[in-house]
């Protein structure tokens, strides 16, 4: 199930997070053949978010990984349609994207969910790590093999939660000059 919650953080916490991100540098991190620009979140913030998710879901949740990420018009511009059913050595059940920065982008933008023409809407849970890596390497930027299913619009302080094996990407494939800053958490 896909969940969307606006005004996810109270105003003071949201402003504190945004101001902290805006005043610090994002670090380039290489993961395989991909580059990302991240700031690491604090354990306190990760715990705050996971407690909030546990309350919302009425079940105990566990944070597996949390971080902030930025994309602009100049970097992180691939479509990179993917599923997060495997993130390094962890296998999350769910993912959260919390939109942080104000947007200057025109038109519809946010997070897209996709249907692969052969595989469907989600990465099969029984796929091997090697097959998942091969599939995403071959298919992540091949738009001919994907149908756009839906787009959740970008709005600062909007939280989007979804099963981690759903195929998704940022939409469109670029951020904006000032940067599309989001908080990402993988959890179970």
């Amino acid at each position: 199930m896909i969940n969307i919650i606006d005004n996810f953080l109270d105003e003071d916490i949201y402003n504190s997070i945004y101001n902290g991100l805006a005043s610090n540098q994002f670090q380039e991190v290489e993961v395989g053949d991909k580059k990302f620009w991240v700031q690491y979140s604090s354990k306190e913030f990760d715990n705050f978010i996971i407690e909030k998710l546990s309350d919302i879901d009425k079940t105990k949740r566990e944070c597996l990984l949390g971080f902030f990420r930025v994309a602009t018009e100049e970097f992180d511009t691939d479509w990179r349609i993917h599923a997060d059913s495997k993130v390094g050595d962890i296998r999350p059940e769910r993912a959260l994207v919390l939109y942080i920065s104000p947007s200057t982008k025109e038109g519809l933008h946010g997070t897209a969910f996709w249907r692969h023409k052969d595989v469907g809407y989600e990465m099969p849970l029984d796929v091997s790590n090697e097959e998942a890596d091969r599939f995403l390497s071959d298919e992540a930027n091949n738009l001919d093999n994907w149908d756009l299913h839906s787009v959740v619009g970008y709005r600062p302080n909007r939280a989007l939660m979804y099963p981690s094996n759903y195929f998704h990407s940022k939409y469109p494939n670029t951020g904006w000059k000032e940067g599309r800053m989001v908080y990402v958490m993988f959890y179970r």
Side-chain angles (χ1 to χ4, degrees), residues 75-148:
F75 55 84
D76 197 5
T77 59
D78 289 343
W79 279 102
R80 212 176 67 73
I81 301 167
H82 66 286
D84 295 306
S85 49
K86 178 184 79 79
V87 180
D89 293 333
I90 62 173
R91 291 200 172 260
E93 293 173 10
R94 294 190 58 81
L96 169 137
V97 175
L98 174 61
Y99 303 129
I100 302 290
S101 58
S103 172
T104 58
K105 195 164 200 70
E106 302 272 329
L108 180 62
H109 59 288
T111 300
F113 291 93
W114 300 84
R115 184 185 69 79
H116 188 270
K117 292 179 178 176
D118 295 328
V119 177
Y121 294 98
E122 56 194 68
M123 181 70 75
L125 294 175
D126 61 350
V127 69
S128 70
N129 291 348
E130 294 77 20
E131 178 59 20
D133 289 344
R134 186 215 53 81
F135 174 81
L136 293 175
S137 175
D138 293 349
E139 300 293 324
N141 289 299
N142 185 358
L143 293 184
D144 291 338
N145 290 337
W146 297 94
D147 293 318
L148 180 63

Side-chain angles (χ1 to χ4, degrees), residues 10-184:
D10 74 37
E11 191 173 348
D12 289 340
I13 294 173
Y14 168 78
N15 288 333
S16 174
I17 293 299
Y18 172 65
N19 291 331
L21 290 175
S23 63
N24 291 311
Q25 292 292 318
F26 283 81
Q27 302 170 13
E28 183 178 327
V29 174
E30 288 188 43
V31 180
D33 62 348
K34 298 175 282 299
K35 292 181 182 179
F36 302 98
W37 285 263
V38 302
Q39 287 186 39
Y40 295 100
S41 57
S42 68
K43 192 71 167 163
E44 293 79 19
F45 186 72
D46 292 342
N47 288 340
F48 174 77
I49 296 296
I50 206 66
E51 288 302 318
K52 193 166 179 71
L53 292 173
S54 295
D55 289 345
I56 290 165
D57 293 342
K58 299 189 182 356
T59 189
K60 182 74 173 145
R61 294 295 189 181
E62 176 188 6
C63 173
L64 302 173
L65 178 64
F67 56 92
F68 297 97
R69 190 172 157 195
V70 68
T72 70
E73 297 169 328
E74 297 176 5
F75 55 84
D76 197 5
T77 59
D78 289 343
W79 279 102
R80 212 176 67 73
I81 301 167
H82 66 286
D84 295 306
S85 49
K86 178 184 79 79
V87 180
D89 293 333
I90 62 173
R91 291 200 172 260
E93 293 173 10
R94 294 190 58 81
L96 169 137
V97 175
L98 174 61
Y99 303 129
I100 302 290
S101 58
S103 172
T104 58
K105 195 164 200 70
E106 302 272 329
L108 180 62
H109 59 288
T111 300
F113 291 93
W114 300 84
R115 184 185 69 79
H116 188 270
K117 292 179 178 176
D118 295 328
V119 177
Y121 294 98
E122 56 194 68
M123 181 70 75
L125 294 175
D126 61 350
V127 69
S128 70
N129 291 348
E130 294 77 20
E131 178 59 20
D133 289 344
R134 186 215 53 81
F135 174 81
L136 293 175
S137 175
D138 293 349
E139 300 293 324
N141 289 299
N142 185 358
L143 293 184
D144 291 338
N145 290 337
W146 297 94
D147 293 318
L148 180 63
H149 178 261
S150 59
V151 177
V152 174
Y154 188 99
R155 174 186 271 175
N157 204 12
R158 171 176 280 174
L160 166 64
M161 293 83 66
Y162 53 91
S164 57
N165 64 326
Y166 281 15
F167 292 122
H168 64 282
S169 70
K170 64 184 169 300
Y171 186 88
N173 58 319
T174 64
W176 44 90
K177 183 179 177 181
E178 300 81 6
R180 175 191 192 266
M181 289 185 259
V182 299
Y183 171 74
V184 176

